[in-house]
């Protein structure tokens, strides 16, 4: 293996490393530096201002408002998505209960999984634009459904009281299918004998789920938690396309704040990068925290 | 799936008094679970179905009866979206860029991963973690400087710029996944080929790449979907010339202009055009898509 390996290593590794360092590593490093300047975009002068941007952030009510929304998303989106995902995955894996193993999948399970998963492959842009029409105050699917059953319909995305919840619902809608498939895969890795033994002991379906399936799935749930938390801290494209943070900033999130600051009416690149840096540390701490809190003893089969 | 689980002849079915209530509980639970499953299925399908159906209706029909079926199949909506709103052009643009970016990602990802998986050299770990570390960072942070990096390189508003950026940001996952995959391939075949006088380059292209095909396909589909669905990067890096836009940008513009023109049917047709290829890829490669995405999003 030794002879002549260097030409290959060099030709195979240098181009990807160059590309990666140029477009990925260097922007990340620059972002930290830019966040300490007062750079206003297209002009050449960027003066170092130390932590002034971060100080201004601290007193920026719009940022706090956006952050508050992100925190609500962070508290609700993972919980709702994981609960629904677990619920449907359980239904699919154990809806039927017959045969020697005691639990079997529900009939047509493969079809359900296929359908549920589909939103996951759709572009976020399509999901956002489609749901914007579903929520349309005149001819939207929801409004007309409400009218059909004689209910008054709010203006959904047009009303500060409902807009945020409408966006949140779309976030959950687009994610659940993915977790049904993920949890389903984890469930099918649990040996059948365990269920057989539990069934012989006379455990009910609910007990089986709470006492057997969930603990065995804990690793997967925890990973799902981290990913959904990161998703909830972002939420940028959905919000930008559906409401652009409005009405009256009721759906604003940090991502939209940052994008507006950088590419909106003013190009406050220094300030935007500071928001980016804060987002970076928030994401990092949320990921580390959820891994810490969720840590339990690992269960291995065999 | 279709046949019921029959108890085998050798295992006698226990007949106990407790059998009956269990069975009744089964019936109720089965109906319940099917009910809930069906409900979510409908929730998932309805908006999409509504979009497809509406794309064949007239604007009058959409306004008057959002739930109704079209009186006739108005294919002119699709024509209006394809040519009038330039969705056809954006579609082709996206196809060109995504073909380029996925090819580049696969080539660079596979060669780098192969080196990480198969060769020992100083600093390998450092470079590997440099790549994989990119999985953890939000794209957001890089957005502002990336804009200038691309502009200073003279790649702003060009497809080449997008292709290079897509590929660069896809490398972390591609390298991570493929390194693990190349490690699972048997070393004996590679050693035998080298003993037979096969060069290192030939070994890679003739032996290792074909063996790695299943992994390559999974990653390629994953990259195809994520590049095809990309919105943020073109929005920032391809702001000017409308004729160069990606599909996502075109759809967004269509949605905005629809607000003034009141041409809802055209918007639904445009959205349907964008959904169809993804649906086709998904149905054709379901298993790989689900495997690739579940592996991809949960590093």
């Amino acid at each position: 293996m030794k002879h002549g390996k260097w030409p290959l290593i060099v030709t195979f590794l240098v181009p990807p490393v160059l590309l990666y360092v140029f477009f990925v590593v260097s922007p990340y490093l620059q972002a930290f530096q830019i966040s300490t300047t007062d750079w206003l975009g297209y002009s050449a002068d960027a003066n170092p201002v130390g932590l002034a941007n971060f100080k201004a952030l601290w007193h920026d009510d719009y940022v706090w408002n956006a952050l508050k929304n992100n925190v609500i998303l962070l508290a609700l989106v993972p919980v709702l998505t994981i609960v629904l995902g677990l619920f449907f995955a359980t239904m699919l894996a154990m809806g039927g209960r017959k045969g020697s193993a005691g639990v079997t999948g529900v009939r047509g399970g493969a079809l359900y999984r296929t359908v549920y998963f589909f939103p996951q492959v759709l572009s976020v842009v399509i999901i956002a634009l489609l749901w914007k029409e579903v929520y349309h105050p005149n001819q939207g699917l929801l409004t007309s459904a409400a009218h059909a059953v004689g209910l008054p319909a709010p203006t959904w995305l047009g009303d500060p009281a409902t807009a945020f919840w409408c966006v949140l619902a779309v976030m959950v809608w687009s994610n659940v299918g993915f977790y049904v498939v993920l949890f389903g895969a984890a469930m099918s890795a649990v040996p059948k004998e365990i269920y057989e033994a539990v069934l012989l002991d006379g455990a009910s379906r609910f007990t089986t789920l709470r006492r057997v399936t969930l603990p065995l799935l804990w690793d997967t749930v925890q990973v799902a938690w981290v990913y959904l938390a990161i998703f909830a801290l972002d939420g940028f494209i959905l919000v930008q396309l559906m409401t652009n943070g409005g009405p009256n900033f009721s759906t604003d999130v940090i991502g939209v704040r940052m994008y507006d600051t950088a590419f909106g009416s003013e190009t406050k690149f220094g300030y935007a990068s500071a928001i980016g840096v804060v987002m970076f540390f928030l994401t990092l701490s949320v990921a580390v925290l959820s891994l810490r809190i969720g840590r339990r003893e690992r269960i291995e089969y065999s | 799936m279709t046949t019921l689980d029959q108890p085998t002849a050798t295992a006698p079915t226990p007949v106990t008094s407790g059998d009956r209530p269990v069975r009744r509980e089964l019936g109720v639970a089965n109906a319940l679970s099917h009910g809930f499953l069906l409900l979510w299925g409908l929730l998932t399908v309805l908006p999409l179905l509504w979009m497809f159906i509406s794309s064949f209706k007239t604007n009058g029909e959409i306004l008057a009866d959002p739930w109704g079926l079209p009186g006739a199949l108005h294919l002119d909506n699709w024509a209006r979206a394809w040519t009038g709103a330039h969705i056809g052009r954006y579609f082709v643009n996206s196809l060109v860029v995504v073909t380029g970016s996925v090819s580049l990602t696969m080539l660079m990802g596979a060669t780098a991963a192969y080196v990480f998986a198969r060769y020992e050299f100083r600093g390998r770990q450092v470079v590997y973690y440099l790549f994989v570390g990119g999985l953890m960072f939000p794209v957001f942070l890089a957005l502002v400087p990336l804009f200038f990096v691309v502009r200073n390189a003279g790649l702003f508003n060009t497809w080449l710029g997008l292709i290079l950026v897509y590929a660069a940001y896809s490398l972390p996952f591609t390298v991570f996944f493929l390194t693990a995959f190349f490690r699972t391939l048997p070393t004996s075949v590679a050693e035998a080929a080298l003993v037979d006088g096969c060069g290192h380059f030939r070994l890679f292209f003739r032996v290792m790449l074909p063996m790695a095909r299943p992994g390559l396909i999974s990653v390629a589909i994953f990259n195809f979907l994520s590049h095809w669905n990309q919105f943020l990067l073109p929005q920032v890096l391809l702001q000017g010339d409308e004729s160069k836009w990606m599909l996502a940008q075109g759809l967004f513009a269509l949605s905005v202009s629809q607000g003034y023109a009141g041409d809802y049917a055209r918007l639904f047709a445009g959205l349907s055009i964008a959904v169809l290829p993804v649906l086709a890829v998904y149905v054709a490669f379901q298993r790989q898509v689900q495997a690739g995405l579940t592996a991809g999003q949960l590093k």
Side-chain angles (χ1 to χ4, degrees):
Chain A
M1 281 294 263
K2 279 249 160 94
H3 176 73
K5 74 172 186 179
W6 280 108
L8 178 128
I9 293 180
V10 171
T11 32
F12 274 20
L13 210 51
V14 169
V17 167
L18 284 181
L19 184 79
Y20 182 71
V21 167
F22 189 71
F23 286 112
V24 182
V25 177
S26 86
Y28 279 126
L29 294 179
Q30 288 176 47
F32 285 97
Q33 190 256 322
I34 295 174
S35 73
T36 61
T37 67
D38 63 356
W39 195 21
L40 286 175
Y42 303 94
S43 65
D45 36 271
N47 308 307
V49 291
L51 296 177
N53 283 328
F54 296 93
K55 254 182 226 150
L57 262 178
W58 187 256
H59 298 290
D60 189 333
D61 286 342
Y62 292 107
V63 168
W64 281 108
N65 169 59
L67 187 65
K68 183 202 77 191
N69 285 337
N70 275 117
V71 169
I72 301 176
L73 291 178
L74 186 64
L76 291 181
V77 171
V79 175
L80 289 173
T81 312
I82 288 175
V83 166
L84 282 172
L86 274 174
F87 178 72
F88 292 123
T90 313
M91 289 284 176
L92 284 172
M94 301 191 283
R97 194 174 204 181
K98 51 174 89 87
S100 57
V103 264
T104 56
V106 97
R107 269 201 279 173
L111 182 65
Y112 280 124
R113 262 187 279 268
T114 306
V115 170
Y116 288 4
F117 195 81
F118 186 53
Q120 189 65 35
V121 280
L122 286 183
S123 147
V124 193
V125 176
I126 293 178
I127 290 176
L129 297 181
L130 173 60
W131 276 89
K132 206 174 153 188
E133 294 309 314
V134 170
Y135 285 131
H136 197 287
N138 299 326
Q139 69 275 10
L141 195 60
L142 261 175
T143 312
S144 53
H147 286 321
V149 292
L151 286 170
T155 48
W156 311 110
L157 295 175
D159 186 343
T162 50
F164 181 76
W165 307 105
C166 291
V167 173
L168 191 145
V170 178
M171 289 181 175
V172 174
W173 177 85
S174 60
N175 273 315
V176 165
F178 175 81
Y179 293 96
V180 172
V181 170
L182 187 76
F183 294 145
M187 280 177 187
S188 62
V190 177
K192 285 257 186 223
E193 294 80 46
I194 295 183
Y195 287 118
E196 230 176 283
V198 178
L199 183 70
L200 278 179
D201 290 345
S204 78
R205 205 182 283 255
F206 180 69
T207 318
T208 314
L209 176 66
R210 200 167 59 93
R211 288 301 185 64
V212 182
T213 317
L214 264 186
L216 290 177
L217 245 61
W218 195 250
D219 268 359
T220 318
V221 172
Q222 193 192 333
V223 173
W225 199 279
V226 175
Y227 174 59
L228 280 163
I230 292 173
F231 172 88
L233 275 180
D234 179 351
F236 163 71
I237 299 179
L238 270 181
V239 170
Q240 202 208 15
L241 296 191
M242 285 175 76
T243 63
N244 201 10
N248 197 18
F249 296 96
S250 58
T251 58
D252 208 10
V253 288
I254 303 259
V256 173
R257 270 301 90 235
M258 182 184 164
Y259 190 87
D260 268 7
T261 312
F263 303 103
S265 50
E266 302 170 88
T267 50
K268 295 202 248 174
F269 282 117
Y271 196 57
S273 289
I275 300 181
V277 168
V278 169
M279 266 181 87
F280 166 76
F281 283 113
L282 274 180
T283 312
L284 200 68
S285 1
V286 164
V288 170
L289 263 182
S290 22
L291 283 172
R292 269 289 153 82
I293 293 169
R295 182 170 295 165
R296 286 194 186 182
E297 219 166 302
R298 215 190 168 90
I299 300 159
E300 280 177 23
Y301 318 122
S302 83
Chain B
M1 268 322 287
T2 46
T3 52
L4 293 171
D5 292 52
Q6 300 282 354
T8 44
T10 44
T13 28
V15 183
T16 55
S17 53
D19 203 30
R20 236 157 236 235
V22 169
R23 206 171 273 170
R24 194 175 308 141
E25 185 221 9
L26 271 183
V28 175
N30 263 337
L32 255 180
S33 51
H34 266 298
F36 283 121
L37 288 169
L38 214 61
L39 189 70
W40 189 263
L42 280 177
L43 265 177
T44 313
V45 171
L46 259 182
L48 292 159
L49 204 63
W50 179 67
M51 171 188 82
F52 275 114
I53 292 173
S54 301
S55 77
F56 294 112
K57 289 157 80 164
T58 63
N59 283 307
E61 285 172 332
I62 291 174
L63 289 168
D65 184 10
W67 282 77
L69 289 171
L73 288 184
H74 292 276
L75 292 168
D76 55 300
N77 298 330
W78 287 60
R80 265 205 322 286
W82 184 262
T83 50
H86 310 298
I87 293 297
R89 185 202 286 158
Y90 301 139
F91 191 97
V92 175
N93 292 353
S94 280
L95 207 60
V96 172
V97 168
V98 170
T99 308
S101 62
V102 171
S103 314
L104 188 68
T105 309
M106 294 314 292
L107 181 70
M108 292 204 161
T111 52
Y114 178 66
V115 171
F116 289 133
R118 290 284 165 160
Y119 292 91
E120 283 287 345
F121 58 93
R122 276 174 70 103
R124 185 184 68 165
Q125 292 287 68
V126 177
V127 187
Y128 177 72
Y129 283 113
L130 181 74
F131 269 108
V132 176
L135 278 171
M136 306 212 306
F137 301 123
V139 186
F140 257 104
L141 182 58
L143 214 53
V144 169
L146 179 67
F147 172 79
F148 287 96
V149 165
V150 170
R151 210 177 63 151
N152 295 340
L155 293 167
F156 185 61
N157 279 338
T158 64
W159 287 347
L160 181 65
L162 270 194
I163 291 176
L164 292 174
V165 170
Y166 283 5
Y169 280 84
S170 305
L171 279 177
F173 172 67
T174 308
V175 167
F176 173 71
F177 188 98
L178 287 180
T179 302
F181 199 83
F182 276 121
R183 283 210 181 108
T184 64
L185 297 180
T187 31
S188 53
V189 181
E191 276 160 10
L194 281 176
V195 168
D196 284 351
C198 178
H200 285 274
F201 285 93
R202 246 176 89 98
L203 173 70
F204 175 72
F205 287 105
R206 289 296 177 80
V207 181
M208 300 310 280
L209 266 192
M211 279 205 296
R213 188 179 292 159
L216 292 174
I217 290 176
S218 281
V219 182
I221 294 170
F222 172 79
N223 283 321
F224 166 78
L225 287 169
S226 73
H227 294 183
W228 184 262
N229 291 338
Q230 192 53 249
F231 175 68
L232 196 54
L233 292 173
Q235 184 84 336
V236 171
L237 303 177
L238 203 68
Q239 293 178 358
D241 193 356
E242 271 184 40
S243 63
K244 285 187 189 165
W245 276 1
M246 298 293 102
L247 187 57
Q249 292 174 283
L251 285 172
F252 178 47
L254 181 60
S255 152
V256 173
S257 72
Q258 164 266 123
Y260 308 112
D263 195 347
Y264 294 97
R266 188 182 58 167
L267 174 67
F268 286 118
L271 288 173
S272 304
I273 292 171
V275 167
L276 279 181
V278 176
L279 183 65
V281 169
Y282 176 55
V283 170
F285 296 100
Q286 244 197 81
R287 289 196 97 163
Q288 286 96 327
V289 170
Q290 296 193 357
L293 282 185
T294 37
Q297 307 223 349
L298 304 161
K299 297 100 191 190

